[in-house]
Amino acid sequence: MGQRLVIDIKDFRGNCLANAYYHWSGYTDSALELTSVILNAHMDGDIKKKVEKERNQFDKVLYAVKLLEVTNAGLQAVKNGEDSKSELEVMQSRYPHIVFNKDKNRNDGLICVTEDEMDNSRNYEEAHVDIFIDSEVVDFYVFCDADDETISYNIWDDPDEIDEDVYNKKIQEYKDGLDDIGKTIGINPEEIPFDKFDEFSNAISNANHSFKINGDIYEKIE
């Protein structure tokens, strides 16, 4: 099936301007990488200048699509009905003089802009990232809760063979030994400033398997 990721580009009201579905990118490290690519394109400013020049104003939907295109994603070209337009046709009709990426495959990313198709993408997601371009924060939660059983497999190949007292002691030592990323770098994963995302990303990427955020223990999706 794939580990399926959806990235929403949103405005300050929380309205989704465009999103992209990535069939094999719902893993912690790959989602971090895609998010970084988008944020770097935003921070660079070139795409925004091109959009403003093309439209003589700042068009947020066009901008959101162009940000997602930097990940190699393309507008969905398949129609969901004979009488409907594809997402590519929708954007081509709105912006007839602008060239858009056509989708290559679902692994590289399928961009959607209509409410129905954006909702449809989310129906298949297993991981999700929200990028707020106005407030410049990211809501990133591409990891899972780590319980004692999950942690035990980071310590032993066969935890069922371990004495209960030793098991409980080692699990607690493992938990106590984890750096608390939330406290160390002072970042809430639900509201990561764009200019702090690289720091957050590096901290998560450098974690072996498990990590702690504000007292809670999580496991990377690998």
Side-chain angles (χ1 to χ4, degrees):
M1 290 290 288
Q3 186 69 21
R4 298 162 296 196
L5 171 71
V6 170
I7 297 179
D8 280 0
I9 307 293
K10 294 185 173 182
D11 65 14
F12 70 96
R13 294 187 180 91
N15 298 320
C16 188
L17 305 166
N19 70 13
Y21 167 97
Y22 304 89
H23 193 66
W24 282 102
S25 295
Y27 301 94
T28 303
D29 287 342
S30 54
L32 287 168
E33 183 178 351
L34 283 171
T35 303
S36 291
V37 168
I38 294 169
L39 299 190
N40 288 338
H42 171 82
M43 302 292 276
D44 178 68
D46 283 349
I47 294 176
K48 185 174 182 178
K49 290 175 184 176
K50 290 176 182 177
V51 168
E52 289 174 338
K53 182 178 180 181
E54 186 69 38
R55 300 290 292 169
N56 294 318
Q57 61 180 350
F58 183 49
D59 185 315
K60 289 184 180 181
V61 172
L62 178 58
Y63 182 60
V65 169
K66 287 301 177 182
L67 282 179
L68 292 168
E69 284 186 344
V70 301
T71 67
N72 209 31
L75 283 157
Q76 186 171 293
V78 176
K79 299 180 181 180
N80 276 341
E82 285 187 14
D83 298 329
S84 65
K85 289 183 177 181
S86 70
E87 300 299 281
L88 178 61
E89 289 172 332
V90 168
M91 289 300 285
Q92 287 173 333
S93 64
R94 290 183 190 174
Y95 311 95
H97 303 299
I98 296 177
V99 177
F100 294 100
N101 289 356
K102 177 183 176 181
D103 71 85
K104 300 179 184 69
N105 56 66
R106 60 185 182 172
N107 297 336
D108 285 336
L110 307 176
I111 299 173
C112 295
V113 294
T114 63
E115 289 295 334
D116 286 347
E117 290 306 313
M118 289 191 293
D119 286 342
N120 188 52
S121 293
R122 296 187 199 101
N123 288 337
Y124 295 96
E125 71 181 15
E126 295 170 291
H128 189 89
V129 177
D130 284 327
I131 297 176
F132 296 86
I133 58 172
D134 294 319
S135 53
E136 296 192 330
V137 294
V138 180
D139 183 350
F140 186 97
Y141 195 86
V142 188
F143 33 79
C144 56
D145 296 338
D147 56 18
D148 286 358
E149 182 180 3
T150 302
I151 292 172
S152 70
Y153 283 96
N154 294 333
I155 304 173
W156 303 285
D157 291 333
D158 189 0
D160 292 336
E161 299 296 320
I162 305 301
D163 174 79
E164 183 178 357
D165 289 339
V166 173
Y167 179 96
N168 291 333
K169 180 181 178 182
K170 290 294 184 182
I171 291 290
Q172 191 58 51
E173 287 176 354
Y174 184 93
K175 291 178 179 178
D176 292 341
L178 295 173
D179 288 333
D180 195 319
I181 292 171
K183 293 177 181 177
T184 302
I185 61 179
I187 290 176
N188 174 1
E190 295 179 358
E191 201 171 54
I192 308 166
F194 283 11
D195 61 0
K196 289 281 189 179
F197 190 81
D198 282 349
E199 188 177 1
F200 172 81
S201 179
N202 289 336
I204 300 295
S205 295
N206 291 334
N208 189 12
H209 296 289
S210 306
F211 53 92
K212 194 182 293 184
I213 297 178
N214 301 325
D216 296 319
I217 299 174
Y218 300 99
E219 188 87 356
K220 293 168 67 174
I221 301 172
E222 299 177 297

